[in-house]
Amino acid sequence: MDTVRVRFAPSPTGGLHLGGVRTVLYNYLFAKHHGGTFVLRIEDTDQKRFVAGAEDYIMNCLEWCGLLPDESPVKGGPFAPYRQSERKHYYYQYAQQLIDAGYAYYAFDTPEELEHMRSRFKTDANPVPQYDHLTRMDMRNSLSLSQEQVIELLGKGTPHVIRLRMPQNTVIKMKDLIRGEVEFDTSLVDDKVLLKADGMPTYHLAVVVDDYLMKITHAFRGEEWLPSAPVHLLLWKYLGWEKEMPQWAHLPLILKPDGHGKLSKRDGERLGFPVFAMDWCDPRTGEKTTGFKERGFLPEAFVNILAMLGWNSGTEQEIFSLQDLVEQFSIDRVHKGGAKFDYEKAKWFNQQWIFRKTNEELAVLVRPFIERKGAIAKLDYLEKVVALIKERCHLLTDFWEQGHFFFKAPEEIDLSAIAGKWNQSKTDFFNDWVQASSDIKSWDAAEIEQHFNEMATARGLKKGELMLPLRIMLVGGKYGPGVFDIAAMIGRSEMSARIQRVLQQLG
RNA sequence: GCCGCGUUGGUCAAGGGGUUAAGACGCCUCCCUUUCACGGAGGAAUCACGGGUUCGAAUCCCGUACGUGGUACCA
């Protein structure tokens, strides 16, 4: 086999979707597994949908995931340029070649005329008429018009597109790496536009031309492309490049967890989880969408989750580093069916990756999430906090939820948890404890606990009845690590201040 | 409508003629823990349906149903 070359070819129209990242991942893994090259190509052929900043955003996402391309618009490479808008001249040339060979034709129909055709031919049996062998002779194109008319229209600079002339009654067979043999009847496929009136190619022409020119050996893309595969196959053939055609693999879709259909940005908003890799702000509408990164996911976990959504190693291993994946990935273990995204499992993966981080690493990762809340987090202190609470955190954002009391006194105190069983002897105990605690020489958890126990015993109080109140006073609620660990961390005076404050509220 | 692709517990899934049909997430019970977690032990829950082929089908074939994608001068 020639050196493996794969590409991810997004169009810069907005946030980078989960499914998109998974396509990147599988491309990347396949390439690296085979010692090949991963290319990023920007498919910006639709000027109407172009969004400023989207390309940089995609690059940032790939960088965060650790899936950097070997060739790209910013990095360059032997097949530059890597933006289709900068490769315009190629497409025109090949479209012309197809016309000359009789495989394509000029079409002068206006959008209104197309609309008219669709309504004119619309029946119950055929609700969406296509521009195909049944209708093309009723339209204004170089097949239906005389040569003189065509020359005249062209000469006047009449806006026109170039369409592929789909043959009739031909069965196109394709071998898909994931699905095996797939067949299509060309009579059912329409005459796709290859070159648009603005001179830009459509996806169909561009993907074939660029895959050829960039020597792509394996083309992976979402399953939604499968129906247009016969168009691409034919183009490879008509352009005379059949022998160099890449092997195809159509990846299963990622579906909504509930209901039906492809997972969309809206589902994330509706169900409360991210869909984009990173935060995305649409420059046109100002609309912000949360990403996995900002939601507190580790890139290792994000990649791991995506890898397992549609692929498995055949073993019981579930936690894979990128390196593990590169070593073990194989395209024939990719599933055929779509997978519903399960956010609960996604969080579990992240938790597993949190456990695998050292406290030093976690402190650095968690710091921005703590500072975002307006707290000051010194790394050595944060390292200790993180050690105490990491096993109850699924997301990086959980570190604040689970440990805010290490940084500032709790604002909300769940008095209801203790008020019912409160009495004067407890008030006395805690008042005296504040005083007595100044006698503790070594302010560590064990020492504090020992003094606490002794004092409780001396007063005939049960330690168990006092620990929950202490926790509520220090933390605000019924959660968190060992209460004496917390006392040790926040220090004696802070402990005392919190106790006294709650005592007042109870009082 | 038509065409393509798919279908193993609620979810991710292993298994591809003979298995007690793995495992994970989630859920439930219990243990550990004077909080919450983590950890440990259990539990409920699955081969879409109907026909074949076969001694034997979750596995192979054909239908049906359902799901999903496509049917743009969007990708």
Side-chain angles (χ1 to χ4, degrees):
Chain A
M1 191 194 293
D2 292 340
T3 309
V4 166
R5 291 179 57 82
V6 301
R7 81 312 195 247
F8 176 58
S11 59
T13 52
L16 184 58
H17 187 274
L18 245 171
V21 181
R22 194 191 55 173
T23 303
V24 176
L25 216 212
Y26 288 9
N27 268 294
Y28 179 91
L29 295 177
F30 185 84
K32 296 303 159 188
H33 182 84
H34 291 100
T37 302
F38 171 49
V39 178
L40 175 70
R41 184 173 72 215
I42 299 295
E43 308 229 339
D44 54 348
T45 55
D46 189 353
Q47 298 165 341
K48 290 188 285 296
R49 296 211 309 162
F50 178 81
V51 175
E55 186 186 315
D56 287 341
Y57 167 87
I58 288 167
M59 279 303 298
N60 292 340
C61 290
L62 297 191
E63 188 175 359
W64 178 63
C65 294
L67 304 173
L68 285 174
D70 302 301
E71 298 170 21
S72 73
V74 286
K75 197 174 178 188
F79 301 93
Y82 290 91
R83 268 180 215 102
Q84 290 185 330
S85 59
E86 296 166 13
R87 303 171 62 80
K88 217 171 155 180
H89 55 290
Y90 288 120
Y91 313 116
Y92 178 77
Q93 169 194 336
Y94 292 114
Q96 195 58 240
Q97 181 184 325
L98 289 166
I99 293 232
D100 294 344
Y103 293 126
Y105 59 89
Y106 297 106
F108 302 94
D109 316 276
T110 63
E112 294 71 31
E113 285 168 330
L114 289 174
E115 192 52 46
H116 181 241
M117 181 274 281
R118 290 189 186 109
S119 53
R120 185 155 65 106
F121 290 101
K122 185 177 171 179
T123 61
D124 286 345
N126 183 16
V128 189
Q130 303 189 118
Y131 200 120
D132 59 12
H133 64 95
L134 296 171
T135 56
R136 68 166 80 103
M137 293 312 283
D138 291 307
M139 306 302 288
R140 292 199 303 131
N141 54 54
S142 57
L143 263 24
S144 64
L145 268 23
S146 72
Q147 202 177 3
E148 293 72 36
Q149 286 174 298
V150 172
I151 288 168
E152 192 196 332
L153 284 167
L154 253 20
K156 285 196 298 191
T158 312
H160 62 275
V161 301
I162 293 177
R163 283 181 184 268
L164 180 65
R165 181 182 186 173
M166 282 305 278
Q168 239 173 297
N169 302 320
T170 304
V171 173
I172 303 226
K173 289 186 184 171
M174 181 190 70
K175 187 169 162 274
D176 185 281
L177 260 16
I178 294 172
R179 287 149 216 285
E181 195 91 350
V182 183
E183 288 187 9
F184 304 91
D185 179 354
T186 57
S187 302
L188 275 2
V189 183
D190 63 338
D191 291 353
K192 286 273 183 269
V193 169
L194 264 20
L195 206 68
K196 301 188 259 192
D198 64 5
M200 281 289 197
T202 59
Y203 171 82
H204 304 104
L205 212 216
V207 74
V208 170
V209 167
D210 285 340
D211 282 353
Y212 168 73
L213 259 17
M214 295 183 177
K215 299 195 185 312
I216 299 304
T217 59
H218 299 264
F220 304 156
R221 63 203 335 187
E223 192 187 348
E224 68 268 28
W225 289 109
L226 200 46
S228 56
V231 176
H232 311 316
L233 276 287
L234 237 29
L235 249 15
W236 277 94
K237 185 180 172 187
Y238 291 164
L239 259 2
W241 304 331
E242 214 171 4
K243 290 189 180 61
E244 288 110 308
M245 187 171 75
Q247 290 192 259
W248 299 95
H250 289 89
L251 272 21
L253 267 13
I254 296 177
L255 309 169
K256 301 176 198 290
D258 65 338
H260 311 294
K262 276 196 291 188
L263 182 66
S264 75
K265 185 183 75 169
R266 297 279 167 223
D267 298 313
E269 287 160 9
R270 183 169 56 86
L271 272 7
F273 59 79
V275 168
F276 291 161
M278 291 169 66
D279 274 6
W280 167 251
C281 181
D282 191 311
R284 295 163 305 185
T285 62
E287 186 189 7
K288 289 184 176 66
T289 311
T290 306
F292 277 86
K293 180 188 178 200
E294 291 79 3
R295 189 60 208 273
F297 279 82
L298 263 16
E300 293 92 334
F302 186 51
V303 162
N304 198 158
I305 293 159
L306 262 20
M308 301 311 287
L309 221 48
W311 175 86
N312 74 85
S313 67
T315 69
E316 288 191 6
Q317 184 178 353
E318 285 200 284
I319 304 301
F320 292 86
S321 67
L322 188 56
Q323 192 50 45
D324 293 336
L325 290 168
V326 166
E327 284 162 18
Q328 298 187 41
F329 184 79
S330 79
I331 196 73
D332 44 53
R333 288 203 66 88
V334 175
H335 258 259
K336 294 183 178 77
K340 290 182 180 174
F341 179 67
D342 182 353
Y343 188 53
E344 292 307 316
K345 182 114 190 205
K347 284 194 291 191
W348 176 81
F349 273 109
N350 204 55
Q351 183 186 38
Q352 295 303 309
W353 277 98
I354 285 174
F355 289 172
R356 281 166 173 74
K357 293 283 181 191
T358 65
N359 296 330
E360 291 90 328
E361 291 168 326
L362 272 180
V364 172
L365 290 162
V366 164
R367 179 147 75 164
F369 290 89
I370 300 297
E371 290 179 340
R372 187 197 282 181
K373 293 291 184 179
I376 293 159
K378 292 174 73 177
L379 279 181
D380 53 346
Y381 183 75
L382 193 50
E383 215 174 293
K384 291 178 195 153
V385 169
V386 144
L388 288 170
I389 62 174
K390 67 175 171 184
E391 64 249 11
R392 59 209 88 200
C393 295
H394 286 84
L395 303 171
L396 261 21
T397 48
D398 289 341
F399 282 87
W400 176 256
E401 315 298 329
Q402 292 294 328
H404 60 93
F405 46 83
F406 285 115
F407 304 97
K408 47 171 91 163
E411 284 165 23
E412 308 258 323
I413 306 290
D414 182 12
L415 287 176
S416 66
I418 53 171
K421 292 180 191 164
W422 199 252
N423 56 39
Q424 187 58 42
S425 61
K426 288 182 183 173
T427 302
D428 294 342
F429 174 87
F430 278 103
N431 271 320
D432 294 348
W433 164 250
V434 166
Q435 296 305 315
S437 64
S438 55
D439 296 337
I440 298 172
K441 291 179 202 69
S442 169
W443 191 255
D444 62 68
E447 193 86 351
I448 299 165
E449 181 168 14
Q450 195 196 323
H451 276 75
F452 191 86
N453 288 350
E454 284 166 4
M455 196 170 141
T457 309
R459 309 224 163 186
L461 290 167
K462 283 186 190 138
K463 181 193 176 195
E465 289 179 35
L466 299 168
M467 281 180 67
L468 184 62
L470 179 59
R471 171 176 300 282
I472 299 295
M473 291 166 175
L474 302 187
V475 172
K478 289 159 68 168
Y479 58 93
V483 70
F484 298 108
D485 286 319
I486 298 169
M489 283 289 286
I490 63 179
R492 202 196 68 83
S493 65
E494 178 62 19
M495 179 195 79
S496 301
R498 292 188 192 181
I499 290 173
Q500 285 168 327
R501 183 168 148 242
V502 176
L503 246 22
Q504 276 182 356
Q505 292 181 35
L506 283 162

